[in-house]
């Protein structure tokens, strides 16, 4: 009799995420959504809009900008922010490098440098809940994370001290100076994300779809030239048809060779892929067996 | 049939839970090449000749160093028949709170035993936790069957002993299925084993693909904890006032008579809104926004329920708690109770019983409840709250007990007495494993 209203997998995931957004809105004073313009954060914002419709999203957005950006993504970011009439705070890694608070790493990668500006922004704005687009299927340290993840006043994740998380009763209590990272997409897989993007018709930066780009091969990844540098001796620039599966710091985010020019083609490609999205495209996760855990302990998202 | 099954592993330390999960993922081809490469490399670094599949799930550095699971890992995989959300939980008694976390939402528990040891103390503790939390079905995976020469008699003995325990905990016979497996070698996990010709039941995966899943409580009385009041006050929506929440139980339809609790106000549902447009009805699990006929004073923490079958509104109730904190519970303790979207001050006025999950009996009026103990308590709240019995409704019968001082979660709370009243079942206490030391000493509990 009521089967007509039973939710399918995507409907269930959507309802769960909306529930999480509303819990945070009801229990925290100063939440913020991490928003880079990438697919997971775009999805996050889409769900936030649905959670509070027809009222506007009651949170500002925060982008921790490595300075190693793809132009298409920054344009997209600003367009989406304007479209929803939201406030965007930008914490720039470049500012920290310019005044010496952070030093450029020898490998040129800036992903690990995001942690300090992120924590400063959280402290400076007194944010008490920080929404991130992390998914448990991305990586095995993330698979261990709670939906509400308490961070101490240094922003650190203490995996051994995680609270029990029972049913869907979330305990967001924290002491002054502490905050909670909240992951509404915890239970989504990469394929769920793409199916949902297709179903909802969510617009993404164009670099997620196949396009021609000059790239060079390093450590088995197709990197693009940019402000972060270009090919070294012996690395040849080639024009290829590629797309990005993840978007992060341009210096360590690789493109994959792909003809998937639209959403259906991307779904077919992801479903058939034999590599995880991080394994295929993120040099920063290849650093060590516990690279992600170590960064999360330090306060990374 | 539902397309999704949520399951959690349980069982004592080293019984092979993570290896079994790894095996399931591996044999269903759910592991992608780069992940597998990493596991091969890590296994070789540890001097192993075959990949250690538990490394697919034991993702924390200290877990891999110690070879144990410390916290729940959530994994997702699908076969053409069904999708699965899998919570791999730790077996060590010190991390029972994480086992409870993984089991609280599970529809099926896969409880492992080591065929050489059979049913031991921790098996019984976890079975009791699963029963308490209302996990509707169990699989007993008699693991490491390779180490007992695939012996039918050993399997049958363990299966019989466990069934007696599960039945005493309230499980119907058809809710428990026993399967002989070797997580390490893969026997009867995904592939049927030629080495257990005497076993004609399903493989673990066949069972997971076909076991009936209890549907969401669509037919239960309607319950809707109000999370947030949506008031846009924009030119397009100057007077909009909607109550946002997720249907916790039952179904709501436009035109339904509802009660707002604890105040006891009455009204009628005039609309069910979503960003995708209005609905005529919404059922358990759906996040929606309700519009009501009257302008009432409703805010976060209130419960909207069907007027015909409202829950009991009370400031005194009996409950069962699974205590998850090092700080013991004593009578008179002042705590916070988080129930639905409402958090209220409360006093645990009385400790009525402590449950002995080994003998399945209980002690009256214990002086305290300490870490991992289950007991019945009486609670008095500072304001009345609308409660259902946990056995009627897992969502609205559940609450958290929170430490008001430091905010930590102290206990899982369940309204009523979900465990059956039983006196000692002697057959379960034989076997003398109480003297068996934990096979796995922890290196150090601190970070
Ligand atoms: N011979 C044999 N060994 C097994 C089998 N299953 C697991 N093991 C071994 O048992 C040990 C413990 O396995 P785990 O999977 O880590 O055990 P666990 O139950 O997850 O342990 P905790 O999570 O710490 O409680 C490992 O050395 C496994 O290789 C099996 O079927 N046969
Ligand atoms: Mg384990």
């Amino acid at each position: 009799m009521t089967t007509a209203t039973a939710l399918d997998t995507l409907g269930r995931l959507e309802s769960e995420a909306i529930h999480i957004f509303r819990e945070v809105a009801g229990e925290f004073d100063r939440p913020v959504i991490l928003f880079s313009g990438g697919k997971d954060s775009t999805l996050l914002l889409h769900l936030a809009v649905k959670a509070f419709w027809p009222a506007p999203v009651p949170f500002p957005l925060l982008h921790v900008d490595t300075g190693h950006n793809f132009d298409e993504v920054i344009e997209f970011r600003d367009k989406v922010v304007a479209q929803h009439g939201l406030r965007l705070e930008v914490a720039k890694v470049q500012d920290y490098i310019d005044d010496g608070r952070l030093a450029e790493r020898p490998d040129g990668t800036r992903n690990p440098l995001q942690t300090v500006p992120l924590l400063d922004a959280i402290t400076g704005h007194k944010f008490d809940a920080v929404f991130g687009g992390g998914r448990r299927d991305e990586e095995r340290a993330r698979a261990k994370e709670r939906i509400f993840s308490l961070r101490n006043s240094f922003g650190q994740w203490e995996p051994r001290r995680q609270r029990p998380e029972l049913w869907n009763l979330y305990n967001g209590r924290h002491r002054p100076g502490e905050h909670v990272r909240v992951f509404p997409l915890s239970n989504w897989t990469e394929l769920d994300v793409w199916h949902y993007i297709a179903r909802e018709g969510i617009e993404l930066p164009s670099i997620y779809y196949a396009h021609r780009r000059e790239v060079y091969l390093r450590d088995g990844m197709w990197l693009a030239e940019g402000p972060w540098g270009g090919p070294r001796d012996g690395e040849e620039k080639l024009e290829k048809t590629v797309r990005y599966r993840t978007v992060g710091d341009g210096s360590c985010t690789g493109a994959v060779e792909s003809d998937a020019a639209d959403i259906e083609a991307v779904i077919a490609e992801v479903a058939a892929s034999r590599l995880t999205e991080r394994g295929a495209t993120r040099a920063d996760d290849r650093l060590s067996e516990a690279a992600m855990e170590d960064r999360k302990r330090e306060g990374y998202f | 049939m539902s397309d999704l099954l949520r399951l959690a592993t349980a069982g004592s330390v080293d019984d092979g839970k993570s290896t079994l999960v790894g095996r399931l993922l591996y044999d269903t081809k759910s592991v992608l090449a780069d992940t597998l490469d990493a596991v091969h490399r890590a296994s070789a670094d540890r001097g192993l000749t075959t990949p250690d599949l538990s490394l697919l799930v034991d993702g924390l550095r200290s877990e891999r160093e110690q070879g144990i699971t410390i916290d729940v890992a959530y994994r997702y995989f699908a076969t053409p028949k069904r999708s699965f959300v899998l919570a791999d939980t730790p077996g060590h008694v010190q991390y029972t709170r994480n086992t409870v976390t993984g089991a609280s939402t599970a529809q099926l528990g896969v409880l492992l035993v080591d065929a050489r040891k059979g049913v031991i103390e921790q098996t019984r503790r976890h079975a009791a936790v699963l029963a308490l939390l209302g996990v509707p079905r169990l699989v007993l995976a008699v693991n490491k069957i390779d180490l007992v020469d695939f012996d039918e008699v050993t399997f049958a003995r363990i299966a019989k002993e466990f069934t007696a325990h599960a039945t005493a905990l309230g499980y119907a016979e058809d809710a428990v299925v026993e399967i002989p497996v070797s997580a390490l070698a893969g026997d009867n996990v995904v592939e049927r084993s030629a080495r257990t010709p005497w076993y004609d039941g399903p493989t673990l995966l066949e069972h997971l693909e076909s076991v009936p899943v209890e549907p969401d409580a669509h037919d239960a009385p309607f319950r809707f904890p109000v999370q947030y009041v949506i008031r846009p006050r924009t030119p397009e929506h100057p007077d909009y006032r909607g109550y946002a929440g997720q249907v916790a139980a039952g179904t709501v339809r436009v035109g339904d008579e509802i009660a707002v609790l604890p105040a006891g106000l009455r009204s009628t549902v005039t609309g069910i809104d979503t960003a995708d447009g209005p609905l005529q009805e919404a059922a358990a699990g759906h996040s929606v926004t309700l519009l009501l006929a009257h302008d009432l004073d409703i805010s976060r923490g209130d419960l909207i329920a069907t007027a015909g079958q409202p829950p009991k509104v009370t400031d005194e109730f009996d409950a069962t708690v699974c205590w998850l904190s090092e700080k013991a519970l004593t009578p008179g303790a002042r705590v916070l109770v988080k129930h639905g979207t409402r958090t209220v001050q409360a006093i645990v006025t009385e400790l009525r019983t402590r449950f002995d999950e080994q003998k399945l009996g209980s002690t009256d009026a214990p002086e305290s409840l300490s870490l991992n103990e289950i007991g019945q308590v009486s609670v008095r709240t500072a304001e009345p709250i609308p409660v259902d019995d946990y056995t009627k409704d897992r969502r609205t019968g559940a609450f958290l007990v929170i430490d008001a001082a430091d905010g930590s979660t102290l206990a899982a709370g369940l309204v009523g007495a979900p465990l059956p009243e039983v006196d000692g079942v002697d057959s379960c206490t034989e076997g003398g494993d109480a003297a068996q030391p934990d096979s796995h000493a922890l290196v150090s509990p601190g970070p």
Side-chain angles (χ1 to χ4, degrees):
Chain A
M1 156 187 77
T2 52
T3 47
T5 48
L7 295 169
D8 61 6
T9 299
L10 293 181
R12 225 178 339 236
L13 290 168
E14 177 189 71
S15 274
E16 179 184 64
I18 288 175
H19 173 255
I20 293 164
F21 273 112
R22 291 166 169 177
E23 280 303 282
V24 171
E27 295 216 329
F28 290 81
D29 294 326
R30 298 175 70 84
V32 67
I33 302 177
L34 291 175
F35 185 73
S36 64
K39 76 172 189 312
D40 294 326
S41 64
T42 301
L43 173 55
L44 209 53
L45 181 57
H46 179 88
L47 289 162
V49 169
K50 292 186 91 165
F52 300 102
W53 179 92
V57 175
F59 321 121
L61 307 175
L62 171 66
H63 182 206
V64 184
D65 179 358
T66 62
H68 289 168
N69 298 307
F70 295 92
D71 295 341
E72 298 90 332
V73 179
I74 294 297
E75 269 166 39
F76 176 81
R77 178 196 78 182
D78 293 339
K79 186 178 88 178
V80 171
V81 170
Q83 191 182 321
H84 294 294
L86 295 170
R87 190 177 100 230
L88 173 73
E89 303 287 347
V90 182
K92 292 192 161 141
V93 172
Q94 190 64 54
D95 293 347
Y96 283 71
I97 291 175
D98 289 347
D99 65 17
R101 280 175 291 172
L102 286 174
E104 197 88 71
R105 291 161 50 99
D107 62 6
T109 296
R110 288 187 177 176
N111 262 350
L113 302 185
Q114 287 171 288
T115 302
V116 172
L118 169 67
L119 295 179
D120 284 352
I122 290 171
T123 316
H125 292 281
K126 298 195 168 57
F127 292 131
D128 53 1
V130 181
F131 289 101
R135 292 180 283 111
R136 287 170 174 159
D137 91 321
E138 279 178 76
E139 203 277 337
R140 60 187 172 174
R142 284 201 194 272
K144 297 266 162 183
E145 180 125 22
R146 300 283 192 261
I147 291 175
F148 272 45
S149 178
L150 187 67
R151 300 304 169 100
N152 67 17
S153 46
F154 299 95
Q156 289 166 314
W157 184 51
E158 298 174 87
R160 295 217 159 183
R161 300 246 178 285
Q162 296 201 92
R163 283 178 181 164
E165 194 160 88
L166 307 159
W167 302 287
N168 64 351
L169 295 172
Y170 302 110
N171 176 3
R173 294 199 163 243
H174 57 280
R175 285 179 274 213
E178 295 178 340
H179 70 277
V180 176
R181 300 277 172 92
V182 183
F183 300 102
L185 306 182
S186 286
N187 291 321
W188 297 56
T189 65
E190 185 188 14
L191 209 49
D192 292 329
V193 169
W194 283 108
H195 278 299
Y196 187 78
I197 286 169
R199 180 168 103 175
E200 300 281 300
I202 299 170
E203 190 189 343
L204 291 182
S206 56
I207 67 170
Y208 282 103
Y209 301 104
H211 56 284
R212 300 291 289 173
R213 183 179 290 263
E214 283 204 324
V215 288
Y216 54 94
L217 194 63
R218 178 178 300 163
D219 300 334
M221 285 193 316
W222 292 107
L223 297 180
E225 196 167 20
W228 49 86
R232 299 185 192 132
D233 284 348
E235 291 173 340
E236 190 191 350
K237 259 201 304 190
L238 299 167
E239 198 186 278
K240 292 206 163 276
T241 303
V242 296
R243 68 174 203 91
Y244 286 86
R245 256 175 102 176
T246 67
V247 169
D249 179 324
S251 69
C252 64
T253 303
V256 292
E257 282 187 85
S258 168
D259 297 321
D262 60 23
I263 185 91
E264 273 73 36
V266 169
I267 289 174
E269 185 187 283
V270 170
S273 171
R274 294 306 303 150
L275 294 178
T276 64
E277 62 180 20
R278 286 192 166 263
T281 64
R282 295 292 271 267
D284 46 337
D285 286 337
R286 297 181 176 178
L287 296 174
S288 83
E289 235 192 287
M292 175 64 88
E293 178 180 344
D294 292 345
R295 275 180 291 147
K296 287 174 74 65
R297 281 173 178 276
E298 285 161 17
Y300 190 76
F301 1 100
Chain B
M1 195 168 85
S2 168
D3 64 332
L4 179 82
L5 178 69
R6 304 182 64 97
L7 61 146
T9 61
S12 186
V13 68
D14 268 352
D15 282 354
K17 297 175 292 297
S18 303
T19 308
L20 183 71
V21 169
R23 171 59 65 184
L24 260 179
L25 296 171
Y26 184 82
D27 283 358
T28 54
K29 315 256 182 305
S30 311
V31 186
L32 298 181
D34 52 325
T35 309
L36 205 56
D37 284 349
V39 167
H40 279 292
R41 271 199 308 276
S43 301
D45 290 349
R46 287 166 175 71
L48 303 173
T49 46
T50 50
D52 178 353
L53 295 177
S54 72
L55 295 175
L56 286 170
V57 269
D58 287 336
L60 299 175
R61 184 193 291 281
S62 38
E63 292 180 326
R64 290 196 300 276
E65 281 167 6
Q66 299 182 35
I68 62 162
T69 304
I70 291 170
D71 212 334
V72 195
Y74 292 92
R75 299 300 303 249
Y76 309 84
F77 76 104
T79 66
K81 296 219 175 83
R82 215 174 233 182
S83 310
F84 301 92
V85 178
L86 215 160
D88 181 40
T89 75
H92 200 282
V93 65
Q94 184 183 349
Y95 303 116
T96 303
R97 64 175 186 280
N98 299 331
T99 306
V100 175
T101 292
S104 65
T105 53
Q107 296 158 316
L108 177 120
V110 179
L111 194 59
L112 276 82
V113 294
D114 181 329
R116 295 169 301 175
K117 299 182 195 159
V119 176
I120 59 173
E121 194 177 329
Q122 187 71 337
T123 321
R124 286 191 283 269
R125 178 178 288 117
H126 279 172
V129 166
L130 295 170
L132 173 74
L133 292 168
V135 177
R137 288 168 188 279
L138 298 184
V139 170
L140 181 78
V142 179
N143 189 33
K144 309 198 185 183
I145 197 79
D146 53 304
L147 296 181
V148 297
D149 290 331
F150 303 91
D151 179 37
E152 178 176 13
V153 177
T154 305
F155 171 73
R157 179 178 51 76
I158 295 170
K160 180 158 171 262
E161 183 181 351
F162 182 75
T163 311
H165 186 72
T167 311
L169 283 167
Y171 282 102
E173 235 171 72
D174 65 353
V176 184
V177 168
E178 301 84 12
I179 307 177
V181 300
S182 170
L184 193 67
D187 298 77
N188 295 329
V189 179
V190 172
E191 305 293 337
R192 176 162 297 279
S193 173
R195 301 189 282 188
T196 52
W198 42 266
Y199 175 73
D200 56 8
T203 64
L204 178 61
L205 183 67
E206 280 165 6
H207 181 65
L208 298 181
E209 286 182 328
S210 59
V211 63
V213 176
E214 273 58 23
D216 289 343
H218 287 184
D219 298 326
F222 170 64
R223 303 285 185 260
F224 186 87
V226 175
Q227 291 188 273
Y228 194 77
V229 182
I230 295 187
R231 296 207 62 187
R233 296 194 186 92
T234 53
E236 307 91 77
H237 301 279
D239 302 317
Y240 188 98
R241 186 188 182 96
Y243 305 102
Q246 186 176 28
V247 180
T251 302
V252 61
R253 292 177 192 82
V254 174
D256 281 357
E257 299 290 319
I258 55 92
V260 182
L261 303 170
L265 311 168
R266 295 289 182 108
S267 189
T268 308
V269 176
T270 55
I272 304 171
D273 261 355
T274 71
D276 298 315
L279 302 173
Q280 277 307 302
E281 59 176 40
H286 210 150
S287 287
V288 296
T289 300
L290 298 185
L291 308 178
L292 301 181
H294 306 87
D295 233 340
L296 302 175
D297 177 15
I298 301 176
S299 56
R300 177 175 170 83
D302 289 331
L303 181 84
I304 297 178
T306 177
Q309 281 175 277
K312 184 170 65 181
V313 177
T314 176
D315 58 4
E316 280 183 318
F317 57 92
D318 289 343
T320 305
V321 295
C322 181
W323 200 253
L324 302 174
S325 167
E326 271 97 34
K327 269 178 277 179
L329 172 68
T330 49
R334 289 176 183 275
V335 295
L336 297 173
V337 160
K338 179 167 188 177
H339 174 260
T341 52
R342 177 176 290 246
T343 303
V344 295
Q345 294 191 30
I347 299 179
V348 180
T349 49
E350 196 189 335
L351 306 192
R352 295 158 61 86
T353 62
R354 180 201 292 126
F355 184 72
D356 180 337
E357 75 278 352
Q358 301 305 316
K359 298 200 178 96
L360 300 185
S362 50
T363 317
D364 286 338
E367 276 168 22
S368 65
L369 281 183
S370 37
L371 182 66
N372 300 331
E373 289 186 336
I374 296 169
Q376 282 182 33
V377 300
S378 300
V379 180
R380 185 152 57 81
T381 51
E383 332 155 26
I385 56 173
V387 294
D388 285 300
D389 219 66
Y390 187 80
T391 53
K392 300 258 158 49
D393 191 328
R394 243 170 133 179
R395 283 284 299 277
T396 54
F399 61 92
L400 302 183
V401 181
I402 295 173
D403 186 325
D406 70 6
S408 63
T409 300
L410 299 172
L414 307 90
V415 177
L419 285 174
E421 297 275 345
V422 274
D423 297 317
V425 179
D426 290 336
S427 65
C428 290
T429 58
E430 287 163 5
D433 63 80
Q436 193 160 27
D438 246 330
S439 58
H440 214 118
L442 278 185
V443 175
S444 83

